[in-house]
Amino acid sequence: MVRPHPQSLDAAMANNTHRYRITVTPIESDGQPCSGRCTIEFEHSCHDDWMRILEASQRQRGFSGDERAALVVGTKLLSGLMLQHRKDSDDLFAPLRPHMPEFIRGLKQRNRDDGPA
């Protein structure tokens, strides 16, 4: 078993970054995963723990489990890209920027409102 160097553990904990590998694989009409080169895979880093966010969203009504996962992952990917490119001179996300904080506040509020009484 390979153990990480203690200094690398300290650095990872200090910057509190979570790394994720996202994989998208189309499903064929017969329900089987596609064959050949058809998977999209990429990595993304984020300061948030997506697993905790997803656990918190499990109480949210109105969405299936797959929809909640897509909502959490999609929102975190989009907001992360918006953050990384906020200083771009040709900011693609400029039209969304004023609305994203309100959207995220609404999601957090729904998670609190739909929690156990």
Side-chain angles (χ1 to χ4, degrees):
M1 183 165 130
V2 177
R3 296 200 185 267
H5 190 275
Q7 288 177 338
S8 60
L9 283 177
D10 291 340
M13 291 179 78
N15 70 10
N16 204 19
T17 298
H18 301 272
R19 289 180 51 206
Y20 300 95
R21 178 178 305 277
I22 293 91
T23 304
V24 179
T25 305
I27 299 174
E28 300 291 340
S29 59
D30 61 2
Q32 298 296 315
C34 71
S35 57
R37 272 183 65 143
C38 58
T39 297
I40 300 167
E41 189 171 80
F42 60 96
E43 289 189 16
H44 185 79
S45 296
C46 182
H47 64 277
D48 291 321
D49 183 339
W50 293 2
M51 300 310 164
R52 285 185 183 255
I53 295 169
L54 189 56
E55 287 171 4
S57 76
Q58 294 303 315
R59 297 182 301 266
Q60 195 171 95
R61 295 182 306 252
F63 292 98
S64 70
D66 284 350
E67 290 172 329
R68 282 190 296 269
L71 180 62
V72 167
V73 171
T75 301
K76 295 315 293 176
L77 286 171
L78 180 61
S79 62
L81 286 170
M82 288 176 68
L83 184 62
Q84 286 176 330
H85 293 276
R86 69 188 177 278
K87 295 181 181 179
D88 291 358
S89 60
D90 60 343
D91 184 7
L92 175 67
F93 304 105
L96 293 176
R97 213 167 280 292
H99 308 285
M100 198 64 164
E102 181 180 345
F103 176 73
I104 291 174
R105 272 192 304 277
L107 284 176
K108 288 178 179 179
Q109 185 61 46
R110 278 183 76 150
N111 285 342
R112 283 191 294 271
D113 291 349
D114 292 340

